[in-house]
Amino acid sequence: MTTRPVRLATGDLPTEAAVVVVGSGFGAAVTAARVAPALGDGDVVVLERGREWVPGEFPEDPTAMRAALRSRRNPLGLFDLQLGTDVDRLTANGLGGGSLVYANVLLEADPAVFDEHWPAGVDAAALRPYADRVRAVLRPQLEDRPTPKADALAHLGAHHGVEPRRIPLAVRLHGDPGPNAAGVHQPTCTRCGNCVSGCNVGAKTTMWASYLPLAARAGARLVTRAEVLRVERNTGPGRRWTVHGERHEVDGHRRTTPFTVQADVVLLGAGSVGTAGILLRSAAAGLPLSDRLGERFSGNADSLSVSYNSTRRRTGTGARDAHDPEVAVGPTITTALDLRDGSSGYLIQDGALPYPVAEVLRRILGLRFALSADSRVWCDLRPNGCPPGCGALEHSQVWLAMGTDSSAGRIDLDPRGRPGISWPDAGRQAVYAEQLADLRVLSEGAEARFVGNPRRALLQRGVPAATPITVHPLGGAVMADDVATGVCDRDGRVHHPDGGVHDGLYVVDGALCPTSTGANPSLTIASLAERIADVLVGRDLARLTAGERTGGSW
């Protein structure tokens, strides 16, 4: 029996609320779920710029994938791909934020990550109990079945003297279908390998399937198609803040209409670049903020490669039919080789290309290697296709790496007020060269052709491009001990440059991170949000929503 997904979103946008949460990813969803029970029904409003995507609606073929790319003409697209001069980034756009397309990994940051640049009192020990809260909601499991796509990690592990290990995944991998910790029905994973194009099975524990239902059940109102542009301080009577934004209309025409919402508390969780962009536009409109705004952007040292056309069939591509896969690929990531050394080094993880992406890549790589006289490559280029499994792409494997970069990027606004990243020579950092050397070893171990990030094959002024792509943008509005070194304090409150903080203005997402996390950052971001919500509810929320609106900082 199939259980129909229960939609959470509403199109009803109020003109005021006690608390406005901007965004709906790991930071925003966690905070909304913890703050809503402390207030009345409707007092918390979550504003998400994208639409609501439920299992069964995610793209399943290349045409649908192209239609799901976000752009100025398609502001409700799921995938927000921004190609930059210095750094490329891929993030999500929808109710649930990055969790809709993340690879489900829940790893704590190495304790040494917090040794520099983080404020006093925020470290691995302080975040551990909050990480336990996150795990209690998301209920991660380990993949316990064989996953051939991870086999080559043992070859690289022997090279380094390190054993690969299975890592915790927020997916219902075992047991019968049933309600999760948030009461949402979840089927068991079919191991189709299509996690990062959106789970149409419903086994993946996203924010949409966990913290956001908790928030809605506690009375929060989840409003989609509402993109926040800036916040403004109110000095007169009424609520402390005015949130300015625009609604994306869906009546068949591309159209936006402006809106404002008055609030006593604003929690910014629009993602690293999104949150920094809102604050930069707010500063341009007159809001006093730290001079450090936009600094310490990190791409988490993300990189990827493909072991192309191995001598034997691989399981690194997702299934055409997610509900009945021909081959059990497994979740996108199942296993990691930990090559971290304190606050440096990196992780390498097995990966799976979701079916709609794999079909696009099949043509791209087939054309690139068409002159190799390899029959499997030619199979990928035949107009009518070949029987499943005989092409070069079915003999390929994608690898993912992440670690520690210098966090030296900067987020600035372009002339249209859109945030972008400037970071000259970002891709020439030593960590990327080290990762690529190991990724080459993986291809050698699989007897496959090594293909790095396709962007690296493009020429810029006659030399290979070195443009990293990140799916884990961090920083831009970082937490620090004082306004001279960061934008927010240890509790996420936004510093006022004249002293104190802006009462009722918080950052609750990855923009807070002053360094790379050295691992998939979802658990760290959610843990930070759990901690901020704990302090906010326990110390400040009652006062901030009790009518004590003096118009100044405190």
Side-chain angles (χ1 to χ4, degrees):
M1 177 179 177
T2 301
T3 301
R4 293 176 64 86
V6 177
R7 293 190 179 273
L8 305 175
T10 177
D12 184 15
L13 178 64
T15 57
E16 66 174 302
V19 176
V20 166
V21 182
V22 181
S24 60
F26 289 96
V30 168
T31 315
R34 299 313 187 191
V35 170
L39 297 171
D41 190 37
D43 282 341
V44 174
V45 173
V46 176
L47 301 180
E48 165 55 48
R49 69 178 186 176
R51 53 162 278 202
E52 184 173 16
W53 297 78
V54 303
E57 296 179 349
F58 293 103
E60 294 184 318
D61 58 52
T63 300
M65 179 65 74
R66 285 191 292 270
L69 287 173
R70 186 173 189 266
S71 66
R72 291 180 64 195
R73 292 181 176 275
N74 185 29
L76 302 181
L78 175 61
F79 303 98
D80 191 359
L81 175 62
Q82 300 293 327
L83 302 180
T85 303
D86 299 327
V87 178
D88 303 332
R89 69 184 188 275
L90 175 63
T91 53
N93 182 54
L95 189 64
S99 73
L100 297 175
V101 298
Y102 79 138
N104 321 304
V105 176
L106 294 181
L107 285 175
E108 293 186 51
D110 189 286
V113 162
F114 302 97
D115 288 349
E116 295 184 18
H117 301 292
W118 290 76
V122 179
D123 56 23
L127 291 181
R128 195 159 294 126
Y130 298 105
D132 289 340
R133 291 187 188 180
V134 177
R135 284 187 283 256
V137 175
L138 301 186
R139 296 180 177 176
Q141 299 179 339
L142 300 180
E143 173 61 279
D144 62 353
R145 297 185 188 181
T147 51
K149 68 186 178 74
D151 289 349
L153 283 174
H155 172 77
L156 180 60
H159 181 75
H160 286 283
V162 177
E163 287 284 336
R165 62 186 178 93
R166 294 293 172 91
I167 51 181
L169 307 173
V171 183
R172 184 185 284 267
L173 292 166
H174 321 302
D176 296 326
N180 64 15
V184 176
H185 178 85
Q186 282 188 280
T188 305
C189 177
T190 63
R191 294 167 169 83
C192 71
N194 293 330
C195 303
V196 296
S197 58
C199 181
N200 280 321
V201 173
K204 173 176 175 168
T205 311
T206 63
M207 294 299 99
W208 178 87
S210 56
Y211 278 96
L212 289 174
L214 291 176
R217 195 173 304 130
R221 184 180 304 185
L222 312 182
V223 182
T224 54
R225 302 181 291 104
E227 182 169 7
V228 172
L229 301 178
R230 71 181 192 278
V231 295
E232 187 176 275
R233 188 62 187 263
N234 294 334
T235 56
R239 305 284 188 180
R240 287 184 177 85
W241 297 96
T242 298
V243 177
H244 295 263
E246 57 186 22
R247 297 297 306 272
H248 297 290
E249 304 299 334
V250 289
D251 56 2
H253 303 282
R254 184 171 63 89
R255 184 164 57 89
T256 59
T257 56
F259 73 84
T260 60
V261 181
Q262 307 287 321
D264 285 321
V265 180
V266 178
L267 307 175
L268 298 177
S272 168
V273 179
T275 289
I278 291 169
L279 289 173
L280 285 164
R281 288 188 291 266
S282 302
L287 183 66
L289 295 171
S290 168
D291 291 339
R292 304 281 76 81
L293 177 60
E295 294 182 356
R296 298 208 63 79
F297 174 84
S298 166
N300 209 42
D302 289 348
S303 62
L304 61 88
S305 76
V306 178
S307 295
Y308 181 65
N309 199 14
S310 172
T311 54
R312 64 185 179 90
R313 185 171 181 181
R314 300 282 162 178
T315 55
T317 55
R320 181 190 296 266
D321 185 347
H323 294 276
D324 186 21
E326 179 190 76
V327 177
V329 176
T332 293
I333 295 172
T334 65
T335 309
L337 192 66
D338 191 345
L339 302 176
R340 293 174 295 177
D341 181 13
S343 60
S344 62
Y346 46 90
L347 291 167
I348 295 183
Q349 299 168 342
D350 64 321
L353 287 167
Y355 175 77
V357 175
E359 289 305 294
V360 173
L361 195 61
R362 183 188 302 278
R363 282 279 176 180
I364 293 173
L365 293 181
L367 289 170
R368 180 175 173 183
F369 297 108
L371 300 180
S372 65
D374 188 291
S375 61
R376 287 193 296 267
V377 176
W378 293 346
C379 282
D380 282 343
L381 293 174
R382 285 180 182 169
N384 297 321
C386 282
C390 68
L393 203 64
E394 281 80 17
H395 291 71
S396 301
Q397 170 66 44
V398 65
W399 304 104
L400 309 167
M402 63 207 67
T404 303
D405 59 29
S406 64
S407 302
R410 182 178 181 88
I411 303 172
D412 292 298
L413 297 179
D414 68 13
R416 293 181 175 177
R418 298 174 302 189
I421 302 163
S422 57
W423 194 350
D425 295 329
R428 301 190 187 282
Q429 297 175 80
V431 63
Y432 292 115
E434 293 165 2
Q435 288 174 347
L436 282 176
D438 275 338
L439 294 171
R440 285 183 183 277
V441 172
L442 285 170
S443 290
E444 293 167 2
E447 298 181 83
R449 187 184 294 268
F450 173 73
V451 178
N453 182 347
R455 283 277 278 171
R456 295 180 184 274
L458 301 178
L459 295 183
Q460 292 179 344
R461 298 178 182 176
V463 298
T467 310
I469 182 167
T470 179
V471 295
H472 301 130
L474 300 169
V478 304
M479 53 170 48
D481 288 317
D482 54 57
V483 71
T485 53
V487 178
C488 303
D489 71 2
R490 56 182 279 181
D491 299 327
R493 301 180 297 179
V494 176
H495 286 302
H496 194 294
D498 294 336
V501 297
H502 288 285
D503 51 326
L505 183 60
Y506 294 73
V507 172
V508 297
D509 62 13
L512 291 167
C513 298
T515 68
S516 307
T517 64
N520 313 67
S522 305
L523 182 58
T524 300
I525 295 169
S527 301
L528 285 169
E530 285 275 14
R531 181 184 175 280
I532 290 169
D534 199 25
V535 175
L536 172 60
V537 172
R539 185 188 66 192
D540 300 332
L541 189 62
R543 183 186 66 79
L544 287 170
T545 57
E548 301 176 25
R549 303 166 189 130
T550 62
S553 62
W554 51 281

